[in-house]
Amino acid sequence: MIADLRSFAFKTTSYLQALLKFFQAALQLMTQRYRSASLRFKIAFFVVILMTSTSFALSIVTVQIMNNYILNEIIKRGESVGKSIAASAGYNLLSKDLLGLDNLVFKAKSSNSDMLYVAIVDLNMKTIVHSATEMIGETKPVAQGQLFRKDADGTTVKELTNSSDSIFEILCPIVFMKKSLGSVVIGMNKSILLEAQRKVGSMILIVFGIIVVLGMFSSSLLASFLIKPIKELSAGVEELKYGTAKNPLRIYSQDELGKLTRNFNEMSALIADQQGKLTKYARDLEDAYVSMVKVVAAAIDARDSYTHGHSARVAQLSLLLGKQIGLPEADLRDLEVGCLFHDVGKIKTPDSILLKKGKLTEAEYSEMKQHVEYGASILSWAPSLSKYIPSTRHHHEWHNGKGYPDGLAGDNIPLFAAIISIADAFDAMTSSRPYRKALFKEEALSRIARMSGTQFRPELVEIFLELMEKNHVQDAPLSVVRFAG
Ligand SMILES: [Fe+2]
């Protein structure tokens, strides 16, 4: 027996623990879902819960008030009828007027449909008159039930518990000439109350359903009304974050939300203004920087009267080629500045070598070749110029790997360097030098074509030749970067 009890207790505990875990997991899941749910759902959910619980509480209170009211009315009526019979029955009892008593009972019973029975009993609870004639002469047992009320005149109201019907039994003493003669006993049926409860219950259910549906609809409407400006504000913050904000947000109301939207619009306008100023400062800075680069390039070219304007021409040709191969605008800007910088290292090349009219010795040529590394070194001093190092360092590399300074080959040569290489060579060949005259354009192009695949990248040469044959040089833009001033 004890073992059975232990087993039962163990099983019950295990079951309760499992149930608890299940509820904890369900609660956790609901909490997570609620946290990730939209604001609209949360507001609608809250309003529906509030309306439902309020309606439910109001329904309970209403039913309770109605019950008490109807119950009191039923009992009051029963008491009133009972007291009225008792007042008249005293004389009839003394005069043993059974017909008169029967008349009183009959009238009361027939005019009150919810009276189950009406009787007059003597002091020994023996039935003298009864609405059910077969009960006459019977001794009425003392009613078992809960005492509901007892008045000062001895009238008692009991709720019977030993009956299949719900009955209130009202007992009114019959007193005549200060002498107790018996009692009037009335059984009141609660069916009116139950019927009223049923009707009100179904009415409440309908009203409750309407309230819930209306609640859901109105809460959804309210949520939309409240959420709309919040959603627009959220989208506005997102646009501000990515710099795509254009128009100020619409202000829907003058409440806290409206104030927040107005402040956001002001803040957004301020940020846009600051951004505009910053952009202007950046543009001015860039203009100054480009001017500086052009001045440096011009200064390098100016050292040698034969190379005057060389960097600018290389830039012009390179841009033509860069555009033809579809480089984006930003790359074209970098390509142009890279062209202006490509020979910046010559600033360290001695005049005796740079301006020498005769052929360079091997040592002098080695020193001349150093200009690419000097250039890379100069550009490395400023982090913002480091992106021009590859084109500066490698514009004398050959496609077959026999160039300098690193002997890079093929596609290992940076694209800008490969472009500058062709433009540089073409401009050098078509410019007069101390030791030779300028070549004609056709001869220069012919030499470039011959060096395709050895010195120059073949794909670029092909495009370059096509462009030059169409004589596009004159149409080419002088610059893609803006000039200052
Ligand atoms: Fe060079």
Side-chain angles (χ1 to χ4, degrees):
M1 182 71 180
I2 291 172
D4 285 349
L5 279 173
R6 276 184 185 161
S7 168
F8 176 73
F10 179 74
K11 279 181 185 170
T12 308
T13 312
S14 306
Y15 174 74
L16 286 174
Q17 281 177 344
L19 203 65
L20 192 68
K21 277 183 186 170
F22 171 77
F23 277 119
Q24 277 178 338
L27 192 68
Q28 202 172 6
L29 188 68
M30 279 172 67
T31 311
Q32 280 174 356
R33 285 276 168 90
Y34 185 79
R35 277 183 188 155
S36 59
S38 67
L39 201 55
R40 181 179 177 163
F41 172 81
K42 284 175 184 171
I43 292 175
F45 180 74
F46 177 76
V47 173
V48 166
I49 291 288
L50 191 69
M51 287 186 80
T52 309
S53 53
T54 309
S55 307
F56 185 69
L58 276 174
S59 305
I60 290 175
V61 171
T62 307
V63 167
Q64 198 57 44
I65 291 171
M66 184 204 71
N67 280 354
N68 288 340
Y69 179 77
I70 295 176
L71 204 60
N72 274 331
E73 285 303 304
I74 291 172
I75 292 167
K76 265 188 197 170
R77 189 158 43 81
E79 279 181 332
S80 170
V81 172
K83 284 177 183 178
S84 166
I85 295 171
S88 306
Y91 177 77
N92 296 88
L93 271 175
L94 274 179
S95 60
K96 297 192 176 171
D97 178 10
L98 289 177
L99 199 61
L101 291 173
D102 196 49
N103 189 41
L104 287 173
V105 168
F106 174 76
K107 276 186 179 170
K109 173 75 174 70
S110 58
S111 57
N112 292 283
S113 60
D114 55 338
M115 279 184 187
L116 280 176
Y117 54 87
V118 182
I120 294 174
V121 296
D122 63 12
L123 292 172
N124 299 318
M125 294 304 283
K126 188 180 174 187
T127 308
I128 301 167
V129 183
H130 201 290
S131 54
T133 49
E134 66 274 14
M135 298 298 289
I136 294 171
E138 297 285 327
T139 301
K140 184 170 172 37
V142 177
Q144 295 296 314
Q146 190 187 349
L147 182 65
F148 193 78
R149 187 195 294 175
K150 185 168 185 178
D151 294 346
D153 62 355
T155 302
T156 58
V157 180
K158 274 186 182 176
E159 186 173 10
L160 301 192
T161 52
N162 56 352
S163 169
S164 56
D165 293 322
S166 291
I167 298 172
F168 279 104
E169 191 172 271
I170 301 162
L171 202 136
C172 299
I174 303 169
V175 180
F176 190 75
M177 306 289 284
K178 295 184 180 176
K179 188 180 173 187
S180 287
L181 300 174
S183 302
V184 177
V185 183
I186 294 176
M188 297 293 293
N189 196 344
K190 281 166 70 180
S191 58
I192 288 182
L193 175 67
L194 296 175
E195 180 63 17
Q197 277 179 340
R198 195 181 59 75
K199 280 184 181 168
V200 169
S202 50
M203 285 279 285
I204 283 176
L205 206 65
I206 292 168
V207 172
F208 188 70
I210 291 171
I211 286 175
V212 169
V213 171
L214 277 179
M216 286 171 79
F217 177 72
S218 58
S219 61
S220 177
L221 210 66
L222 177 73
S224 300
F225 177 71
L226 286 176
I227 292 303
K228 195 177 179 189
I230 295 175
K231 274 175 101 170
E232 287 185 9
L233 200 57
S234 172
V237 172
E238 196 85 1
E239 283 177 359
L240 188 66
K241 181 178 157 190
Y242 294 109
T244 54
K246 284 176 188 162
N247 300 317
L249 298 179
R250 185 178 164 188
I251 298 169
Y252 288 93
S253 57
Q254 298 304 318
D255 54 15
E256 289 84 348
L257 207 55
K259 207 180 279 181
L260 182 66
T261 311
R262 190 180 299 109
N263 287 339
F264 173 80
N265 283 342
E266 287 173 8
M267 185 186 74
S268 186
L270 194 68
I271 290 175
D273 183 51
Q274 296 291 333
Q275 272 180 340
K277 282 180 183 167
L278 275 176
T279 308
K280 187 180 176 305
Y281 293 150
R283 199 176 296 138
D284 290 349
L285 201 65
E286 194 181 302
D287 286 346
Y289 161 72
V290 171
S291 299
M292 187 268 295
V293 170
K294 287 180 189 296
V295 167
V296 170
I300 297 160
D301 293 346
R303 285 184 65 201
D304 181 355
S305 58
Y306 286 96
T307 59
H308 183 68
H310 168 69
S311 297
R313 289 193 299 274
V314 169
Q316 185 186 356
L317 290 168
S318 297
L319 284 179
L320 196 67
L321 194 48
K323 271 195 171 179
Q324 191 63 24
I325 62 172
L327 288 181
E329 190 75 11
D331 283 359
L332 289 174
R333 291 161 64 86
D334 287 347
L335 177 61
E336 183 178 13
V337 178
C339 289
L340 297 176
F341 272 139
H342 81 284
D343 272 343
V344 72
K346 282 186 179 173
I347 212 156
K348 284 183 72 177
T349 308
D351 281 352
S352 58
I353 297 171
L354 192 69
L355 307 177
K356 187 174 178 181
K357 294 193 171 164
K359 199 177 175 186
L360 298 178
T361 64
E362 199 154 319
E364 286 169 337
Y365 184 56
S366 294
E367 176 59 28
M368 176 61 106
K369 288 201 292 186
Q370 288 285 310
H371 80 277
V372 291
E373 288 173 79
Y374 293 155
S377 169
I378 289 167
L379 294 175
S380 70
W381 296 342
S384 61
L385 301 180
S386 60
K387 61 180 170 183
Y388 306 112
I389 291 176
S391 52
T392 301
R393 184 178 176 88
H394 299 295
H395 73 273
H396 285 294
E397 301 283 4
W398 279 33
H399 189 70
N400 62 7
K402 292 186 177 171
Y404 67 87
D406 299 320
L408 298 183
D411 290 345
N412 289 329
I413 301 169
L415 177 63
F416 286 5
I419 291 173
I420 292 171
S421 169
I422 297 173
D424 189 26
F426 179 78
D427 186 67
M429 284 189 269
T430 52
S431 304
S432 290
R433 291 293 158 104
Y435 44 88
R436 62 155 174 79
K437 282 191 171 180
L439 298 179
F440 287 111
K441 177 184 156 189
E442 290 73 21
E443 176 58 20
L445 292 176
S446 166
R447 288 192 185 188
I448 285 175
R450 281 204 299 276
M451 297 301 279
S452 176
T454 50
Q455 185 174 349
F456 308 116
R457 191 179 292 188
E459 311 91 88
L460 293 176
V461 169
E462 193 181 332
I463 296 166
F464 184 73
L465 293 177
E466 270 177 30
L467 286 169
M468 299 310 286
E469 276 162 16
K470 288 177 187 167
N471 205 17
H472 276 178
V473 182
Q474 285 78 3
D475 304 330
L478 282 171
S479 175
V480 290
V481 294
R482 289 174 303 102
F483 287 86

